C-alpha cells in the first residue's frame, strides 16, 4: 500500500506491483518486445513510489543499505552528464544513454520487491522463463518446429529470440544459477529438477550453440562451482581446474574444438596482415583503435555514444579512404571495458569495476547459495565483457541486469527477515522453505 501525502486516496496495488516485477523477471527469457514493454512498465510503477512517497516503505530499505543500486544509478547519471561534452551526434548520444538506462532496472526491482516471498516469486518467474528458453532451443536442435521462435538464427543456430552468442552466455549463467540455488527449493523433486535443468543448460552451451564466448563463460562458471565445492585445503589446487576443463571440452567436442582453434588461426592471420576478414580480426582492430582513443582523452573520455564517431575519426586520419562505419555495422568495439573507456575515460572503466565491486560488497552475510549464484553471474559478465559489449547490447545486457536485481533482492530480503526473526522482531516466517 502506498499513501500519497496530500491526496485524498490510498493506493492498494500490491498485486499489480508484484505482477510487473514478475513480468520484468520473466521478460529476459522471452522476446525483445516483451523486454522493452516490461522495462517501461517497471519504470512507470516505481516512479510514483519515488516521487510521491515521503519515505520509502519499510521493506524498501534496500536503497539505503545496499551499494549496487547506488552505483547502478550513478553509472546512468555519469553517462547523462557526459552529454555535455560528447562528440557524438545527439541521436547516437541519447541512444547510448538509453542503452545504459537498463542499469536502473536493478534499483527499480529493489524498490518494488518488498519481502522475501515477493523476491521468491520474481526468482521463480525468472528461472521459469529461462528454463522455457533452454527447452525451446533443445527442441529446435532436434528439428521440432516451435511457432514462438522469432530469431533469424532459429533454424540454423537454434537461438529462439536473440542470437546463439547471447543465448550461449545466458545458458551458461542459468546452469550456474540453477546449480547453486537447488538447495533453496521446497522439496526434493524440485531439487533434482534444478539439477536436470542445470545440466540441460550446460548442454545448450557446449552441444547446441557455437558461441565461443559461451564456451569460455561455461568453463568459468563450472570452474567456480568446483572451487566452492572443494574443501578449503584443496582450493589452491582448483587453479588447475579451468585448463583441465578446457582440455576436456576441447577434446570431447569437435564443434568446440573447431570454433576455439579458429581463434588461433584468425589471430595469426591478423598478425601477418591486419584485415577485417574474421571475427577475431575485427575485434583486434576495434580494440586497437579504442585504446588509441582512450589515450587521446583519458580523463573524461569523449562522452556518451562517442565510440563510433571517434573510431571513424581516428581511422580517417590513418587512411583518408576509410569508409565510415554506421551504427548498424559496428556500433561498439565488442569489448565493454574499452567502450566505457572511450566514452568516460579511465574513470569510466573504474566506475564499471566499482559497480561490480559494489555487488560483491552487498553479498556479504547473504545466504551462501545466493552468494555463489550471484558471483557466477558476475564472473560470466566479466568474461563476456572481455570480448563483447554485453551491457551495452540489448537482450544480453537486460538479462544480466535483471538476473542481478532479482538475486540481490532475494538475498537481501532473506537476510533482513532472518535478522528480524532472530532478534525477536517478527513471528516465524510463513514464507516458502529454503532448505534443501
Amino acid at each position: 500500500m502506498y499513501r500519497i501525502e496530500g491526496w485524498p486516496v490510498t493506493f492498494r496495488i500490491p498485486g499489480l506491483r508484484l505482477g510487473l516485477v514478475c513480468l520484468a523477471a520473466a521478460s529476459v527469457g522471452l522476446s525483445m518486445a516483451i523486454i522493452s514493454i516490461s522495462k517501461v512498465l517497471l519504470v512507470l510503477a516505481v516512479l510514483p513510489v519515488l516521487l510521491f512517497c515521503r519515505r520509502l516503505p519499510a521493506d524498501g530499505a534496500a536503497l539505503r543499505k545496499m551499494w549496487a543500486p547506488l552505483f547502478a544509478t550513478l553509472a546512468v547519471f555519469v553517462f547523462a552528464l557526459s552529454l555535455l561534452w560528447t562528440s557524438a551526434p545527439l541521436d547516437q548520444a541519447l541512444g547510448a544513454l538509453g542503452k545504459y538506462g537498463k542499469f536502473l532496472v536493478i534499483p527499480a526491482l529493489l524498490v518494488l520487491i518488498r519481502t522475501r516471498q515477493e523476491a521468491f516469486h520474481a526468482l521463480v518467474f525468472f528461472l521459469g522463463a529461462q528454463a522455457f528458453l533452454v527447452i525451446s532451443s533443445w527442441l529446435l536442435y532436434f528439428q521440432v518446429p516451435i511457432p514462438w521462435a522469432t530469431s533469424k538464427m532459429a533454424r540454423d543456430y537454434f537461438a529462439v529470440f536473440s542470437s546463439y552468442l547471447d543465448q550461449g552466455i545466458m545458458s551458461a549463467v542459468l546452469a550456474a544459477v540453477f546449480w547453486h540455488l537447488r538447495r533453496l527449493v521446497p522439496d526434493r523433486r524440485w531439487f533434482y529438477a534444478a539439477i536436470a535443468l542445470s545440466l540441460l543448460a550446460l548442454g545448450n552451451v557446449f552441444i547446441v550453440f557455437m558461441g565461443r564466448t559461451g564456451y569460455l563463460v561455461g568453463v568459468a562458471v563450472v570452474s567456480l562451482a568446483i572451487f566452492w565445492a572443494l574443501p578449503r585445503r584443496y582450493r589452491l589446487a582448483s587453479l588447475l581446474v579451468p585448463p583441465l576443463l578446457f582440455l576436456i571440452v576441447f577434446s570431447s567436442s569437435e564443434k568446440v574444438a573447431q570454433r576455439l582453434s579458429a581463434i588461433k588461426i584468425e589471430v595469426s592471420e591478423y598478425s601477418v596482415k591486419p584485415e577485417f576478414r574474421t571475427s577475431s580480426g575485427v575485434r583486434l582492430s576495434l580494440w586497437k583503435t579504442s585504446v588509441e582513443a582512450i589515450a587521446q582523452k583519458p580523463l573524461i573520455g569523449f562522452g556518451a555514444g562517442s565510440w563510433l564517431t571517434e573510431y571513424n575519426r581516428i581511422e580517417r586520419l590513418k587512411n583518408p579512404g576509410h569508409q565510415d562505419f554506421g551504427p548498424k555495422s559496428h556500433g561498439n568495439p565488442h569489448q565493454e571495458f574499452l567502450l566505457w573507456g572511450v566514452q568516460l575515460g579511465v574513470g569510466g572503466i573504474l566506475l564499471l569495476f566499482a559497480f561490480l565491486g559494489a555487488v560483491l560488497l552487498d553479498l556479504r552475510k547473504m545466504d551462501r547459495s545466493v552468494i555463489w549464484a550471484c558471483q557466477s553471474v558476475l564472473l560470466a559478465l566479466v568474461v563476456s565483457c572481455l570480448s563483447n559489449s554485453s551491457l551495452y547490447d540489448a537482450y544480453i545486457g537486460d538479462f544480466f541486469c535483471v538476473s542481478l536485481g532479482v538475486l540481490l533482492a532475494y538475498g537481501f530480503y532473506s537476510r533482513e527477515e532472518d535478522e528480524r526473526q532472530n532478534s525477536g522482531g517478527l513471528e516465524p516466517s510463513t514464507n516458502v522453505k529454503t532448505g534443501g
Side-chain angles (χ1 to χ4, degrees), residues 306-368:
S306 61
W307 181 87
L308 186 62
T309 300
E310 296 310 312
Y311 178 85
N312 287 329
R313 177 183 65 82
I314 293 174
E315 289 301 309
R316 283 196 301 269
L317 292 176
K318 298 178 185 177
N319 176 19
H322 167 72
Q323 294 184 351
D324 286 356
F325 287 159
K328 293 184 179 180
S329 55
H330 293 284
N332 63 83
H334 299 285
Q335 219 273 13
E336 192 71 47
F337 297 99
L338 292 179
L339 181 59
W340 285 51
V342 173
Q343 297 177 103
L344 302 177
V346 176
I349 300 175
L350 295 178
L351 177 59
L352 180 51
F353 276 112
F355 166 73
L356 299 173
V359 176
L360 290 175
L361 196 62
D362 287 336
L363 292 177
R364 296 175 304 168
K365 299 182 181 180
M366 289 187 182
D367 184 272
R368 186 173 59 182

Side-chain angles (χ1 to χ4, degrees), residues 133-151:
L133 194 62
V134 167
I135 294 172
S136 296
S137 61
W138 273 109
L139 291 174
L140 289 174
Y141 180 75
F142 287 112
Q143 304 301 316
V144 178
I146 53 176
W148 55 87
T150 58
S151 172

Side-chain angles (χ1 to χ4, degrees), residues 187-266:
D187 58 54
R188 304 302 293 180
R189 291 173 297 175
W190 288 108
F191 175 85
Y192 292 117
I195 294 176
L197 285 168
S198 178
L199 295 176
L200 277 177
L202 205 60
N204 246 353
V205 179
F206 296 111
I207 298 174
V208 175
F209 299 123
M210 55 182 293
R212 290 176 288 196
T213 305
Y215 299 155
L216 296 177
V217 173
V219 170
V221 297
V222 171
S223 300
L224 186 60
I226 294 175
F227 171 81
W228 287 123
L230 289 174
R232 288 183 179 273
R233 61 181 179 276
Y234 295 129
R235 285 183 178 174
L236 185 61
S238 66
L239 296 175
L240 300 175
V241 171
L244 287 175
L245 282 177
F246 182 85
L247 289 175
I248 292 172
V249 172
F250 188 87
S251 60
S252 60
S253 172
E254 184 178 355
K255 179 191 290 189
V256 175
Q258 289 177 349
R259 293 290 290 161
L260 294 178
S261 297
I263 297 177
K264 180 180 179 181
I265 297 173
E266 292 170 2

Side-chain angles (χ1 to χ4, degrees), residues 151-216:
S151 172
K152 296 179 180 179
M153 296 185 177
R155 180 176 180 180
D156 297 323
Y157 300 105
F158 321 116
V160 183
F161 298 116
S162 58
S163 68
Y164 66 80
L165 172 62
D166 290 346
Q167 226 181 303
I169 297 170
M170 292 165 63
S171 295
V173 173
L174 182 65
V177 172
F178 264 120
W179 179 260
H180 291 304
L181 297 187
R182 69 193 188 279
R183 298 188 183 279
L184 298 182
V185 295
D187 58 54
R188 304 302 293 180
R189 291 173 297 175
W190 288 108
F191 175 85
Y192 292 117
I195 294 176
L197 285 168
S198 178
L199 295 176
L200 277 177
L202 205 60
N204 246 353
V205 179
F206 296 111
I207 298 174
V208 175
F209 299 123
M210 55 182 293
R212 290 176 288 196
T213 305
Y215 299 155
L216 296 177

Side-chain angles (χ1 to χ4, degrees), residues 53-112:
C53 292
R54 292 186 176 180
R55 64 182 183 87
L56 289 173
D59 291 318
L63 295 189
R64 299 192 299 270
K65 296 184 179 181
M66 299 183 74
W67 290 100
L70 173 63
F71 276 91
T73 306
L74 178 62
V76 178
F77 173 78
V78 172
F79 273 105
L81 186 65
S82 73
L83 294 175
L84 297 175
W85 65 82
T86 182
S87 63
L90 182 60
D91 60 334
Q92 293 181 20
L94 292 176
L97 177 61
K99 285 179 177 290
Y100 286 117
K102 64 173 68 77
F103 268 97
L104 296 179
V105 168
I106 297 174
L109 288 171
L110 289 167
V111 168
L112 294 177

